[in-house]
Amino acid sequence: MEQEYWMMYFDGSLKKTGGGAGLVFISPLGMRLRYMVCLHFPASNNVAEYEALGNGLHIAIELGIRRLDIRGDSQLVIDQVMKESSYHDPKMTPYCHAVRQLKDKFDGLKLNHVKRRFNEAADELAKAASGWRPVPAGVFVSNMHKPSVCYEELGEAGNEPPVPDLEADPSDPEVMEIDADPAEGADPLPDWRAPYVDYLIHESLPTDKMEARRVACRAKSFIIIDQELYKRSHTGNLQRCIPSEEGRSPLQDIHAEACGHHAAPRTLVGNAFRQGFY
């Protein structure tokens, strides 16, 4: 029996406070999954749209979805992906290339333009992500601190755009740079978990207003179990949060020891996520 199509609505938003992406998945049985992605880097409205589409495809792959009916209200993005429109902004080239690369991951993929009034659910999530609003109940939230593609050096006109690393976990593409051999006597790194633990247990926030809003927004995806901090991934799995110092050990195991892996940093960290660490 042929597998039925899931539906995915996507939208991007850009405000003075930042960029954001919203995603709504609807299963053939009517189950809904909602996602917000906060963009913490300079972005245009079209970049936000592409980040929404790209993150949505990665999430669909992680969920094991094989047939997907994608709907968005950005005519430009859809036309570019469908090869019906040219690129006036060179930054769009690697984004479009990355989206097309994921097509083979599906047995069936549709991409359709819809009017904005039919995309309100994804639009509201995107606006919430870009405006640092409280995360609605039942919504998965993630943060991006750098673009999912590399468009800093596109080369000469007509050259192929750089191929992005597409294997990192879409739940949080931020990469933490880790010095594998830190200098002796260096100050220990602060525990990044502390603000979230303080907020979840004591409802205490940092004194800096922007940092307080960031912690309060991100804390929605964390939970305390037996005095341990865990993060809910976009697939609903719990990842045990570990300090930066402790994180070196699993990264080194994945990279150099039994697994012998020579992957890019984002892929390496993505593999650690899939082992249940964050």
Side-chain angles (χ1 to χ4, degrees):
M1 181 178 179
E2 185 176 295
Q3 185 179 0
E4 295 185 69
Y5 277 82
W6 281 63
M7 293 178 64
M8 184 190 91
Y9 290 86
F10 75 95
D11 202 4
S13 175
L14 184 66
K15 293 186 177 182
K16 292 182 179 180
T17 49
L23 296 159
V24 178
F25 289 87
I26 305 176
S27 77
L29 297 178
M31 179 184 67
R32 290 175 179 259
L33 299 173
R34 298 180 295 163
Y35 297 83
M36 288 169 49
V37 183
C38 303
L39 308 180
H40 303 276
F41 56 86
S44 66
N45 193 68
N46 287 333
V47 165
E49 293 280 358
Y50 264 115
E51 290 290 0
L53 177 57
N55 274 269
L57 289 172
H58 280 294
I59 292 171
I61 293 168
E62 289 280 329
L63 293 173
I65 296 173
R66 301 297 302 174
R67 294 180 179 270
L68 189 61
D69 183 351
I70 304 170
R71 303 184 180 188
D73 56 48
S74 174
Q75 186 73 63
L76 176 67
V77 169
I78 291 173
D79 284 351
Q80 286 180 349
V81 174
M82 299 298 290
K83 302 182 180 180
E84 296 175 2
S85 179
S86 59
Y87 312 107
H88 297 291
D89 183 349
K91 288 184 178 181
M92 298 301 101
T93 305
Y95 272 112
C96 187
H97 187 69
V99 170
R100 290 175 184 169
Q101 278 191 318
L102 296 176
K103 183 179 179 180
D104 293 339
K105 301 288 186 180
F106 298 87
D107 294 332
L109 198 63
K110 302 177 183 179
L111 188 58
N112 298 294
H113 175 260
V114 296
K115 294 183 178 180
R116 185 171 295 276
R117 68 175 183 271
F118 298 120
N119 200 31
E120 290 181 351
D123 180 57
E124 285 300 314
L125 292 172
K127 289 178 179 177
S130 62
W132 290 88
R133 299 180 193 170
V135 180
V139 175
F140 296 100
V141 61
S142 60
N143 293 267
M144 295 186 67
H145 294 263
K146 58 180 66 177
S148 60
V149 300
C150 177
Y151 48 66
E152 293 179 355
E153 296 181 4
L154 295 178
E156 298 296 330
N159 288 348
E160 284 294 313
V163 178
D165 177 28
L166 298 172
E167 299 182 25
D169 192 330
S171 66
D172 195 338
E174 175 186 7
V175 175
M176 178 175 55
E177 294 294 337
I178 295 180
D179 184 359
D181 189 16
E184 293 185 7
D187 294 334
L189 294 173
D191 192 340
W192 66 270
R193 303 171 300 172
Y196 303 104
V197 173
D198 289 342
Y199 178 68
L200 292 172
I201 296 179
H202 307 294
E203 297 185 357
S204 174
L205 286 169
T207 55
D208 182 82
K209 290 185 178 180
M210 287 298 293
E211 179 66 12
R213 292 176 66 184
R214 187 182 73 86
V215 170
C217 179
R218 292 201 65 192
K220 297 289 186 178
S221 60
F222 291 92
I223 188 173
I224 299 290
I225 301 177
D226 294 332
Q227 304 301 313
E228 288 276 356
L229 184 68
Y230 287 81
K231 184 182 185 297
R232 296 187 186 91
S233 73
H234 62 281
T235 57
N237 296 324
L238 292 178
Q239 300 168 321
R240 186 168 70 88
C241 299
I242 56 179
S244 301
E245 292 292 333
E246 187 179 336
R248 289 195 178 95
S249 178
L251 288 180
Q252 288 174 349
D253 287 342
I254 294 170
H255 181 68
E257 295 180 7
C259 298
H261 205 302
H262 297 284
R266 290 181 63 231
T267 302
L268 188 62
V269 175
N271 287 339
F273 287 160
R274 285 185 279 274
Q275 298 301 317
F277 298 104
Y278 184 84

